[in-house]
Amino acid sequence: MQLSLMTWQEVEAYLTDRSAIILPIGSQEQHGPMGLIGTDAQTAEAIAHKVGAEREIVVGPTISVGMAQHHLGFTGSMTLRPTTLIALIVDYITSLSRHGFDQFYFVNGHGGNITTVQTAFQEIYAEYSLAGADCPIRCRLANWFAMKDVVNLTQELYGDKEGMHATPSEVALTQYLFPDHIKSMAPSDAAPIKRMFTDASDYRALFPDGRMAAASELANPEDGKRFLEIAAKAINKDLSAFLAGEK
Amino acid sequence: MQLSLMTWQEVEAYLTDRSAIILPIGSQEQHGPMGLIGTDAQTAEAIAHKVGAEREIVVGPTISVGMAQHHLGFTGSMTLRPTTLIALIVDYITSLSRHGFDQFYFVNGHGGNITTVQTAFQEIYAEYSLAGADCPIRCRLANWFAMKDVVNLTQELYGDKEGMHATPSEVALTQYLFPDHIKSMAPSDAAPIKRMFTDASDYRALFPDGRMAAASELANPEDGKRFLEIAAKAINKDLSAFLAGEK
Amino acid sequence: MQLSLMTWQEVEAYLTDRSAIILPIGSQEQHGPMGLIGTDAQTAEAIAHKVGAEREIVVGPTISVGMAQHHLGFTGSMTLRPTTLIALIVDYITSLSRHGFDQFYFVNGHGGNITTVQTAFQEIYAEYSLAGADCPIRCRLANWFAMKDVVNLTQELYGDKEGMHATPSEVALTQYLFPDHIKSMAPSDAAPIKRMFTDASDYRALFPDGRMAAASELANPEDGKRFLEIAAKAINKDLSAFLAGEK
Amino acid sequence: MQLSLMTWQEVEAYLTDRSAIILPIGSQEQHGPMGLIGTDAQTAEAIAHKVGAEREIVVGPTISVGMAQHHLGFTGSMTLRPTTLIALIVDYITSLSRHGFDQFYFVNGHGGNITTVQTAFQEIYAEYSLAGADCPIRCRLANWFAMKDVVNLTQELYGDKEGMHATPSEVALTQYLFPDHIKSMAPSDAAPIKRMFTDASDYRALFPDGRMAAASELANPEDGKRFLEIAAKAINKDLSAFLAGEK
Amino acid sequence: MQLSLMTWQEVEAYLTDRSAIILPIGSQEQHGPMGLIGTDAQTAEAIAHKVGAEREIVVGPTISVGMAQHHLGFTGSMTLRPTTLIALIVDYITSLSRHGFDQFYFVNGHGGNITTVQTAFQEIYAEYSLAGADCPIRCRLANWFAMKDVVNLTQELYGDKEGMHATPSEVALTQYLFPDHIKSMAPSDAAPIKRMFTDASDYRALFPDGRMAAASELANPEDGKRFLEIAAKAINKDLSAFLAGEK
Amino acid sequence: MQLSLMTWQEVEAYLTDRSAIILPIGSQEQHGPMGLIGTDAQTAEAIAHKVGAEREIVVGPTISVGMAQHHLGFTGSMTLRPTTLIALIVDYITSLSRHGFDQFYFVNGHGGNITTVQTAFQEIYAEYSLAGADCPIRCRLANWFAMKDVVNLTQELYGDKEGMHATPSEVALTQYLFPDHIKSMAPSDAAPIKRMFTDASDYRALFPDGRMAAASELANPEDGKRFLEIAAKAINKDLSAFLAGEK
Ligand code: NI
Ligand code: NI
Ligand code: NI
Ligand code: NI
Ligand code: NI
Ligand code: NI
């Protein structure tokens, strides 16, 4: 149930007895020698669409460019400044809450988005708190790659070689989604994670080909299919808890 | 050639002898009783991808939510505030120009975006002008629906019934793109255009079902195919002029 | 009827049966070797004051500096960043609407202002649309130099030599308004318009003396008088349509 | 020497051996039952033009709307938010300093502008200080109504009846400037100044007809002529000190 | 009565019959060879706490970094941009006014804060004035170092050697407060005040060791004790006038 | 080594062979019936000062008001909007990095600050990444209450009764720091944590007396002393890793 494929009257009907929306958010950023620039948006979108279809919950438009300043040292990477992303999320939520949506469930494919999106939620809540008014909405950010069952599968399949960026799991998922766009790379060790990075030039100095300790070449479409299924299942369950008002 | 489906090394290779990028921009907004909410993003994206493929020019991620405040009276419509959209475009262009992209060609599917996007270009140029520096980039906004050949075809096919919003031409194009999501409507006259609208409540009062003088029901997928082809051809030609540095 | 020459009680009386205000907006920017830097503000102001007097409609203070980043390559030109001009217009309109003004008719003398001013209107409307509230005001931007009868007269008097910047028509109008400040120039061809410009350095490279295909030297005060009259008449008529709620 | 009445080449010539500019700033705000809404802009502009002419120093466009939130309880008053006025002044100065102007002398007609304009200067200086760069410009705000000789004359002519807003001195000056727009009022005591105001409703509650302890009715054009002369003389002298780099 | 040392229930009880709060504001900036960087915050805080204790009025958290761009040429100095400080003050006041505080009395230790803080007050009032609503709060900024009795004591003790920055009076006060952190300096004349400064590099060129005509070395803790007492007394009296609604 | 207690020359000397600074950040917010409003600032400051003294590293001014919108339902709580806190941190770091500080270690006492402060770091890095420049600084946020050894001690002393807000550990630490301000409360169960909160009214509905599952009454000054020591030790060690460039 994609918002973009509905008419306004269908959305109106949906809101007569439901009020949740799923919003995929990703990034356009380098994913090493064989990972796609759109990986994080593609994976978040695919999982969100699958869950939305299974649950008959509306899925809004994918936020395809996120906060990825640290990847700008690699050609093609894009970023929003954090304050721009905050403004964008405020506008998305304000638009949709005007119609009656009041439960906003973000499915996220990019670790770099986490603090900024959480901060955007606080910016929205703060307006109500400062005004002494009751905030009518609730938001949650769910990171598919960090769901317990997903992490377990990465360990089972790749162990330490999963790494932290351009991971075989995310690459596998995009291979399953875009079989015509599977790339290969000469086998080579990814740079290990010695410390956290700051800006783009620091990141590139630490991780010369873009990967963070990840053996992207282990990816294959079959694994990708499993990740899509297990991630959707985990998100589905977390979404249930969210809709039930649980922690 | 979608940026999202490339690796960073492929983008790097592309930039060795080219520097243009196409950016689709649309909107999520009501399109009357049978038009899809994502129409403007879907049409701009399809045309941009077609032109990008034919010309082997990179196409960036689609800006799927634009400036559509006037449609918020209809459920499901979304908007960015104009100043948020300006910030977003500044960040997109700044990110990409850092890598060497210097010709930004926006394919637009939504009339409501025009002034804001043009203003964003000026915001970027102004930074250079105020600093007394040479601006290294050029931007153009091309509205596929306003290209001469497209307008001619709408007149040929629908005459006055094309209208101005939820037009049969754009609905047709989405029918061709999404054959599983073709909707129907009870035949009824769209409200005529008596005057221009201001905000969302004014728009809804003037155009109760969302259409502006448009007979959406005339749309059919075959027409949509023609619009895709003729729009891509027109955009292709305009893009050539842009890349050649012409007016 | 200039706002600046009224007392607050006179404005209060005015608003008992009227609610419109005319706001002139121009620019401070180079106008070639013989055009005045204040041309666009001077012409807009003169036309607005004439119409205001004829129609007994209040005319607010002239916005004398607009969006003219592309002219900064020529000494003395000034600009507001687009986002600053948006903020200014929001504050003007918010101030005045608090008193009961609800029809804002901007008389514009500068093409570079158009997209930014239109965007400012959308920024205002968007606040209401996002809040689900009815916007009490309506705004229009009227460009005197683009009114049909004005364009016809430029063609009759100057044909192709009217050009697009530092035009004989606008220079003539300022000569009529400021007979003590008529300048002359050595006859020379203005640079033709090969393509649109981007920032200030690009503009100057394309149009070395500031004129865009305009034979400013054809200007004379008598023509200026005619332009003032015909522009005021055209604006007057357009204003009537606006006040009548027409398109 | 008004910037608006010069060509860009004349400004360029001016800057070969001079670099100062005078900028008048006023307000559009109620001035009691007989004072004009534009008083503060009109007086500042007249004094600035007189000094500019005498000294052959360029005078820029008048900032006609300032920070006057406290007057919005009276019809016709306008304000910029302080942060908007800061942005405007930053843009004015940035535009002009690009051309070589480096001494900015503001002639101010409105007490309410003082802190905001001074803050704008700091905002500009702060950019340089934070960057560790040398700031090439100097700014001063001169309030004509607070110059010692002006104050002396108000005391001589009106004593305590000068008051603090809609004062006979400023009203007199506008009467001299605009003899066709002299208004009268029924003699009545202005509200005394019991305490400072906060917002617009507080101001109106304290000063029901808009005047602050001022006997506007004492104004006459002859006094106005004296104020113009004495204010211009005082500003002229202060400007000399500023240009000489004195305190 | 420090807010930070109270429980929320104690604050709630306080607000049943009182509604004032004192907010100290200072700066972190160089104070010459022997003055402490925190001087302005330390002095404002000490005076505010003393008055708060005597009057049983709640004292909020000290704003320890203010607007001090002109001191950045000296190591360790910090500044907020004026617009950041405005936002901070707006948030402080909005937070506290939500609970019922409506009289905000700022005790200021730094001249550089004055215009920005006053501008912040106007930014708050302007929201109400533009909305046509009654502003429920009142704010005052009191500069302890400029209170008449304080100035008298500086003249009595130091005469001309008080100077304008890193003054013996403020240094003395910090010596009394922090006896373990008394510094000394080689006797040397402070640079005289020839003119006002602009940015940090200008300031440093004018005042090479940071002092403005001040003989910091005259300071001693006993004087500091006197300044604390006399400043607290003066502030106390001014606060009474403020709470009584006086000018 | 507090920055506020140093002279600028002492800071200059410090920077000849060191470049790190510790910045404490807390909050002013309710801490249940017996916890102090300033708890989070007081604890962070005490730990930071202890570590700074032991390591001879400069400690900057405490950020005493943080992001605590969710506590505004309880009297006396204050918040900065997230975007204001981002601006503040940008200004702090920009000021200090101008002098040569390049390692910024924030000691945080409040969970609600985490995402906003991390986002502020990204905002700073993004400026460099977008400009293609090398960022000269590194930042880290360390949450004393989440350090492993601290958590172990809370479990040892209080087990489940530690809870998540107004915890006995933080209350104990403030009791040790401010023995004259120890409050008591009637024993009562704190509300358990059923789910995460959104805005202030939601928080208050979930946690009526402000505590989140925390038995504040278990606190005692002796425990507080232990927490100060163990937290300082843990922070000290983490700081060493940070300065050594480790993860
Ligand atoms: Ni990824
Ligand atoms: Ni459309
Ligand atoms: Ni013009
Ligand atoms: Ni006045
Ligand atoms: Ni000081
Ligand atoms: Ni706490």
Side-chain angles (χ1 to χ4, degrees):
Chain A
M1 291 190 77
Q2 296 181 41
L3 181 72
S4 65
L5 293 172
M6 298 169 79
T7 66
W8 71 264
Q9 291 166 339
E10 289 170 349
V11 185
E12 195 169 70
Y14 172 87
L15 284 168
T16 54
D17 58 359
R18 280 155 298 175
S19 63
I21 189 164
I22 299 171
L23 287 160
I25 177 166
S27 181
Q28 298 295 312
E29 66 187 40
Q30 66 84 15
H31 272 80
M34 63 178 283
L36 307 182
I37 283 178
T39 297
D40 297 353
Q42 292 153 350
T43 55
E45 183 174 276
I47 295 163
H49 284 186
K50 186 167 164 56
V51 173
E54 288 165 5
R55 295 289 292 266
E56 296 196 344
I57 291 180
V58 168
V59 181
T62 301
I63 300 172
S64 51
V65 178
M67 209 305 293
Q69 60 83 17
H70 45 299
H71 291 299
L72 284 182
F74 296 90
T75 310
S77 301
M78 299 174 70
T79 195
L80 296 181
R81 283 176 177 86
T83 43
T84 303
L85 183 50
I86 290 170
L88 178 148
I89 289 173
V90 169
D91 287 359
Y92 271 42
I93 290 178
T94 308
S95 294
L96 291 166
S97 69
R98 182 201 199 280
H99 303 305
F101 288 103
D102 60 12
Q103 293 177 299
F104 295 87
Y105 188 87
F106 286 74
V107 175
N108 179 34
H110 172 51
N113 288 333
I114 296 174
T115 58
T116 303
V117 175
Q118 297 281 18
T119 300
F121 296 165
Q122 299 301 318
E123 188 82 3
I124 293 169
Y125 298 148
E127 282 308 308
Y128 291 93
S129 297
L130 284 163
D134 291 348
C135 177
I137 64 160
R138 291 171 61 229
C139 305
R140 182 182 295 196
L141 180 69
N143 307 299
W144 74 261
F145 52 87
M147 307 303 282
K148 203 178 165 207
D149 290 344
V150 172
V151 173
N152 287 346
L153 184 58
T154 65
Q155 291 314 297
E156 176 194 325
L157 294 177
Y158 316 121
D160 282 357
K161 293 182 180 294
E162 166 72 0
M164 280 186 62
H165 185 66
T167 61
S169 60
E170 62 181 343
V171 173
L173 211 163
T174 61
Q175 288 179 336
Y176 174 65
L177 297 172
F178 301 96
D180 296 343
H181 295 275
I182 297 175
K183 324 267 172 160
S184 60
M185 62 178 285
S188 76
D189 285 347
I193 299 166
K194 280 183 270 187
R195 63 167 173 78
M196 274 299 109
F197 46 85
T198 57
D199 71 331
S201 64
D202 188 46
Y203 185 103
R204 181 144 189 174
L206 288 166
F207 309 107
D209 74 1
R211 294 177 295 157
M212 292 176 73
S216 314
E217 70 274 19
L218 300 181
N220 61 74
E222 295 71 33
D223 286 2
K225 185 165 187 287
R226 288 181 69 184
F227 278 110
L228 179 57
E229 275 158 16
I230 210 154
K233 203 167 162 187
I235 289 290
N236 202 324
K237 192 175 159 195
D238 183 66
L239 173 60
S240 293
F242 174 66
L243 296 182
E246 292 170 19
K247 186 166 60 164
Chain B
M1 291 190 76
Q2 295 181 42
L3 181 73
S4 66
L5 294 172
M6 298 169 78
T7 66
W8 71 265
Q9 291 166 337
E10 289 170 348
V11 185
E12 195 168 69
Y14 172 87
L15 283 169
T16 55
D17 57 359
R18 280 155 299 176
S19 64
I21 189 165
I22 299 171
L23 287 159
I25 177 166
S27 181
Q28 298 293 314
E29 66 188 40
Q30 66 85 15
H31 272 80
M34 62 177 283
L36 306 182
I37 283 178
T39 297
D40 297 352
Q42 292 153 351
T43 55
E45 183 174 277
I47 295 163
H49 284 185
K50 187 166 163 57
V51 173
E54 288 164 5
R55 296 290 291 269
E56 296 195 342
I57 291 180
V58 168
V59 182
T62 300
I63 301 173
S64 51
V65 178
M67 210 305 293
Q69 60 83 16
H70 45 300
H71 290 299
L72 285 182
F74 296 91
T75 310
S77 300
M78 300 175 69
T79 195
L80 296 181
R81 283 177 177 86
T83 43
T84 303
L85 182 51
I86 290 171
L88 179 148
I89 290 173
V90 169
D91 287 359
Y92 271 42
I93 290 178
T94 308
S95 294
L96 292 165
S97 68
R98 180 201 199 280
H99 303 305
F101 288 103
D102 61 10
Q103 292 177 298
F104 295 87
Y105 188 87
F106 287 73
V107 175
N108 180 33
H110 172 49
N113 289 333
I114 296 174
T115 58
T116 303
V117 175
Q118 297 281 18
T119 301
F121 296 165
Q122 298 301 320
E123 188 83 4
I124 294 169
Y125 298 147
E127 281 308 309
Y128 291 92
S129 297
L130 284 164
D134 291 347
C135 178
I137 65 159
R138 291 172 62 230
C139 305
R140 183 181 294 196
L141 179 70
N143 307 298
W144 73 261
F145 52 86
M147 306 304 281
K148 201 177 166 209
D149 290 344
V150 172
V151 172
N152 286 346
L153 184 58
T154 65
Q155 291 315 298
E156 175 194 324
L157 293 177
Y158 315 122
D160 282 358
K161 293 184 180 295
E162 166 73 358
M164 280 185 64
H165 185 66
T167 61
S169 60
E170 61 182 345
V171 172
L173 211 163
T174 60
Q175 288 179 336
Y176 175 64
L177 297 172
F178 301 96
D180 296 343
H181 296 275
I182 297 176
K183 324 266 172 160
S184 61
M185 61 178 285
S188 76
D189 285 347
I193 300 166
K194 280 183 270 187
R195 63 167 173 77
M196 273 300 107
F197 47 83
T198 58
D199 70 331
S201 63
D202 188 45
Y203 185 103
R204 181 143 189 175
L206 287 166
F207 309 107
D209 73 2
R211 293 176 295 157
M212 291 176 74
S216 314
E217 70 274 19
L218 299 181
N220 59 74
E222 294 71 34
D223 286 2
K225 185 165 187 287
R226 290 182 67 186
F227 278 110
L228 177 57
E229 274 158 18
I230 209 153
K233 203 168 161 188
I235 289 289
N236 202 324
K237 193 174 158 196
D238 183 66
L239 172 59
S240 294
F242 174 66
L243 296 181
E246 291 171 21
K247 184 164 59 163
Chain C
M1 294 191 74
Q2 296 181 41
L3 182 73
S4 66
L5 294 171
M6 299 168 79
T7 66
W8 70 265
Q9 292 165 338
E10 289 170 348
V11 185
E12 195 168 69
Y14 172 87
L15 284 169
T16 55
D17 57 0
R18 279 155 300 176
S19 64
I21 189 164
I22 298 172
L23 288 160
I25 177 166
S27 181
Q28 298 293 315
E29 67 188 40
Q30 67 84 15
H31 272 79
M34 64 177 283
L36 307 182
I37 283 177
T39 297
D40 298 352
Q42 292 154 350
T43 55
E45 184 173 277
I47 295 163
H49 284 185
K50 187 166 163 55
V51 173
E54 289 165 5
R55 295 289 291 268
E56 298 195 342
I57 291 181
V58 168
V59 181
T62 300
I63 301 172
S64 51
V65 178
M67 209 305 293
Q69 60 83 16
H70 45 300
H71 291 298
L72 285 183
F74 297 91
T75 310
S77 300
M78 299 175 69
T79 195
L80 296 181
R81 284 177 177 85
T83 43
T84 303
L85 183 51
I86 290 170
L88 178 147
I89 290 173
V90 169
D91 287 0
Y92 271 42
I93 290 178
T94 307
S95 294
L96 292 165
S97 68
R98 182 201 198 279
H99 303 307
F101 288 104
D102 60 11
Q103 292 176 299
F104 296 87
Y105 188 85
F106 287 74
V107 175
N108 180 33
H110 172 49
N113 289 334
I114 297 174
T115 58
T116 303
V117 175
Q118 297 280 20
T119 300
F121 296 166
Q122 298 301 320
E123 188 84 2
I124 294 169
Y125 299 148
E127 282 308 308
Y128 291 93
S129 297
L130 283 164
D134 290 348
C135 177
I137 64 160
R138 289 172 61 231
C139 305
R140 183 182 295 195
L141 180 69
N143 308 298
W144 74 260
F145 51 86
M147 307 303 282
K148 202 179 166 206
D149 289 344
V150 172
V151 173
N152 287 346
L153 184 58
T154 65
Q155 291 314 297
E156 175 193 326
L157 293 177
Y158 315 122
D160 282 358
K161 292 183 182 293
E162 166 72 0
M164 280 185 63
H165 185 66
T167 62
S169 59
E170 63 181 342
V171 172
L173 211 163
T174 61
Q175 288 180 336
Y176 174 64
L177 296 173
F178 301 96
D180 295 344
H181 295 276
I182 297 176
K183 325 267 172 160
S184 61
M185 61 178 284
S188 75
D189 285 347
I193 300 166
K194 280 183 269 187
R195 64 167 173 78
M196 274 298 109
F197 45 85
T198 58
D199 72 330
S201 63
D202 188 45
Y203 185 103
R204 181 143 191 175
L206 288 166
F207 308 107
D209 74 0
R211 293 176 296 157
M212 292 175 72
S216 314
E217 70 273 19
L218 300 180
N220 61 74
E222 296 70 34
D223 286 1
K225 186 167 186 286
R226 289 181 69 186
F227 278 109
L228 178 57
E229 276 158 16
I230 208 155
K233 204 167 161 187
I235 289 288
N236 203 324
K237 193 176 158 195
D238 182 66
L239 172 60
S240 293
F242 173 66
L243 297 181
E246 291 171 20
K247 185 165 59 162
Chain D
M1 293 191 75
Q2 296 181 40
L3 181 73
S4 66
L5 293 171
M6 298 169 79
T7 65
W8 72 265
Q9 291 166 339
E10 289 170 349
V11 185
E12 195 169 70
Y14 172 88
L15 284 168
T16 55
D17 58 359
R18 280 154 300 175
S19 64
I21 188 164
I22 300 172
L23 288 159
I25 177 167
S27 183
Q28 298 295 313
E29 67 187 40
Q30 66 84 15
H31 273 80
M34 64 177 283
L36 306 182
I37 282 177
T39 297
D40 298 352
Q42 292 154 351
T43 56
E45 183 173 276
I47 294 163
H49 284 186
K50 187 166 163 55
V51 173
E54 288 165 5
R55 295 290 291 268
E56 297 196 342
I57 291 181
V58 168
V59 182
T62 301
I63 301 172
S64 51
V65 178
M67 209 305 292
Q69 60 83 17
H70 45 299
H71 291 300
L72 285 183
F74 297 91
T75 309
S77 300
M78 299 174 69
T79 195
L80 295 181
R81 283 177 177 85
T83 43
T84 302
L85 183 50
I86 290 170
L88 179 147
I89 290 173
V90 169
D91 286 359
Y92 271 42
I93 289 178
T94 307
S95 294
L96 291 165
S97 69
R98 181 201 199 280
H99 303 306
F101 288 103
D102 60 11
Q103 292 176 298
F104 296 87
Y105 188 86
F106 287 74
V107 175
N108 179 34
H110 172 50
N113 289 334
I114 297 174
T115 57
T116 303
V117 175
Q118 298 281 19
T119 300
F121 296 166
Q122 298 301 319
E123 188 83 4
I124 293 169
Y125 299 148
E127 283 307 309
Y128 292 93
S129 297
L130 283 164
D134 290 350
C135 177
I137 64 160
R138 289 173 61 231
C139 305
R140 184 182 294 197
L141 180 69
N143 308 298
W144 74 261
F145 52 87
M147 307 304 281
K148 202 177 166 208
D149 289 345
V150 172
V151 172
N152 287 345
L153 184 58
T154 65
Q155 291 314 297
E156 176 193 327
L157 293 177
Y158 316 121
D160 283 357
K161 293 183 182 293
E162 166 73 358
M164 281 185 62
H165 184 67
T167 62
S169 60
E170 62 181 342
V171 172
L173 211 162
T174 61
Q175 289 179 336
Y176 174 64
L177 297 172
F178 302 96
D180 295 343
H181 295 276
I182 298 176
K183 325 267 172 159
S184 61
M185 61 179 285
S188 76
D189 286 347
I193 299 167
K194 280 183 269 188
R195 63 167 172 78
M196 275 299 109
F197 46 84
T198 57
D199 71 330
S201 64
D202 188 46
Y203 185 102
R204 182 144 189 174
L206 287 166
F207 310 106
D209 74 1
R211 294 177 296 157
M212 291 176 72
S216 315
E217 69 275 18
L218 300 180
N220 60 73
E222 295 71 34
D223 286 1
K225 184 166 188 288
R226 290 182 67 186
F227 278 110
L228 177 58
E229 275 158 16
I230 210 154
K233 204 167 161 187
I235 289 289
N236 202 324
K237 193 174 158 195
D238 182 67
L239 172 60
S240 294
F242 173 66
L243 297 181
E246 290 171 21
K247 183 165 60 164
Chain E
M1 291 190 75
Q2 296 180 43
L3 181 73
S4 66
L5 293 172
M6 298 168 79
T7 65
W8 71 264
Q9 291 166 338
E10 289 171 348
V11 186
E12 194 168 70
Y14 172 87
L15 284 169
T16 54
D17 57 359
R18 281 155 297 177
S19 64
I21 189 164
I22 299 171
L23 288 159
I25 177 166
S27 183
Q28 298 294 313
E29 66 188 40
Q30 66 84 16
H31 272 79
M34 64 178 283
L36 307 182
I37 283 178
T39 296
D40 298 352
Q42 292 154 351
T43 57
E45 183 174 277
I47 294 163
H49 284 185
K50 187 167 163 57
V51 173
E54 289 165 5
R55 295 290 292 268
E56 297 196 340
I57 291 180
V58 168
V59 182
T62 300
I63 301 172
S64 51
V65 178
M67 209 305 294
Q69 60 82 17
H70 45 299
H71 291 299
L72 285 183
F74 297 90
T75 309
S77 301
M78 299 174 70
T79 195
L80 295 181
R81 283 177 177 87
T83 42
T84 303
L85 183 50
I86 290 171
L88 179 147
I89 289 173
V90 169
D91 286 358
Y92 271 42
I93 290 178
T94 307
S95 294
L96 292 165
S97 69
R98 181 201 199 279
H99 302 306
F101 288 103
D102 60 11
Q103 292 176 298
F104 296 87
Y105 188 86
F106 287 74
V107 174
N108 180 33
H110 172 49
N113 289 333
I114 296 174
T115 59
T116 303
V117 176
Q118 297 281 19
T119 301
F121 296 166
Q122 298 301 320
E123 188 83 4
I124 294 169
Y125 298 147
E127 283 307 309
Y128 291 93
S129 297
L130 284 164
D134 289 350
C135 177
I137 65 160
R138 290 172 61 230
C139 306
R140 184 182 295 196
L141 180 69
N143 307 299
W144 75 262
F145 52 87
M147 306 304 281
K148 202 179 166 207
D149 289 346
V150 172
V151 172
N152 287 345
L153 184 58
T154 65
Q155 290 314 297
E156 175 194 325
L157 294 176
Y158 316 122
D160 283 357
K161 293 184 181 294
E162 165 73 357
M164 280 185 62
H165 184 68
T167 62
S169 60
E170 61 182 344
V171 172
L173 211 163
T174 61
Q175 288 180 336
Y176 175 64
L177 296 173
F178 301 96
D180 295 344
H181 295 275
I182 297 176
K183 325 267 171 158
S184 61
M185 62 178 284
S188 76
D189 285 348
I193 299 166
K194 281 182 269 186
R195 63 167 172 78
M196 274 298 108
F197 46 84
T198 57
D199 71 331
S201 64
D202 189 46
Y203 185 102
R204 182 144 190 175
L206 288 166
F207 309 106
D209 73 1
R211 294 176 296 156
M212 292 177 72
S216 314
E217 69 274 19
L218 300 181
N220 61 73
E222 295 71 33
D223 286 1
K225 185 166 187 288
R226 289 182 67 186
F227 278 110
L228 178 57
E229 276 159 17
I230 208 154
K233 204 168 161 187
I235 288 289
N236 202 324
K237 192 175 159 195
D238 182 67
L239 172 60
S240 294
F242 173 66
L243 296 181
E246 289 170 23
K247 184 165 60 164
Chain F
M1 294 190 74
Q2 296 181 43
L3 181 73
S4 65
L5 293 171
M6 299 169 78
T7 66
W8 71 264
Q9 292 166 337
E10 289 170 348
V11 184
E12 195 168 71
Y14 172 87
L15 283 169
T16 54
D17 57 359
R18 279 155 300 177
S19 64
I21 189 165
I22 299 172
L23 287 159
I25 177 166
S27 182
Q28 298 294 314
E29 67 187 40
Q30 67 84 15
H31 272 79
M34 63 178 284
L36 306 181
I37 282 177
T39 297
D40 298 352
Q42 292 154 349
T43 56
E45 183 174 277
I47 295 163
H49 284 185
K50 187 166 163 56
V51 173
E54 288 165 5
R55 295 290 291 268
E56 296 196 342
I57 291 181
V58 168
V59 182
T62 301
I63 301 172
S64 51
V65 178
M67 208 307 292
Q69 60 83 16
H70 45 298
H71 291 299
L72 285 182
F74 297 90
T75 310
S77 301
M78 298 175 69
T79 195
L80 296 181
R81 283 176 178 86
T83 44
T84 303
L85 182 51
I86 290 170
L88 179 147
I89 290 173
V90 168
D91 286 359
Y92 271 42
I93 290 178
T94 307
S95 295
L96 292 165
S97 68
R98 182 200 197 280
H99 302 306
F101 289 103
D102 59 12
Q103 293 177 298
F104 295 88
Y105 188 87
F106 286 74
V107 175
N108 180 32
H110 172 49
N113 288 334
I114 296 174
T115 58
T116 303
V117 176
Q118 297 282 18
T119 300
F121 296 166
Q122 299 301 319
E123 188 83 3
I124 294 169
Y125 298 148
E127 281 308 309
Y128 291 93
S129 297
L130 283 164
D134 290 348
C135 178
I137 65 160
R138 290 173 61 231
C139 305
R140 183 182 294 195
L141 180 70
N143 307 298
W144 74 261
F145 51 87
M147 307 302 282
K148 201 178 167 207
D149 289 345
V150 173
V151 173
N152 287 346
L153 184 59
T154 65
Q155 291 314 298
E156 175 193 326
L157 294 177
Y158 316 121
D160 282 357
K161 292 182 182 294
E162 166 71 359
M164 280 186 62
H165 184 68
T167 61
S169 60
E170 62 182 342
V171 172
L173 211 163
T174 61
Q175 288 180 336
Y176 175 64
L177 297 172
F178 301 97
D180 295 343
H181 295 276
I182 297 175
K183 324 267 172 159
S184 61
M185 61 178 285
S188 75
D189 286 347
I193 299 165
K194 280 183 270 186
R195 64 167 173 78
M196 274 299 108
F197 45 84
T198 58
D199 71 330
S201 64
D202 187 46
Y203 185 104
R204 182 146 189 174
L206 288 166
F207 309 107
D209 74 1
R211 294 177 296 157
M212 291 176 73
S216 314
E217 70 273 19
L218 301 179
N220 60 73
E222 295 72 33
D223 286 1
K225 186 166 187 288
R226 289 182 68 186
F227 278 109
L228 178 58
E229 276 158 16
I230 208 154
K233 204 167 161 186
I235 288 289
N236 202 323
K237 192 174 159 197
D238 182 66
L239 173 60
S240 293
F242 173 66
L243 296 182
E246 292 171 19
K247 184 165 61 162

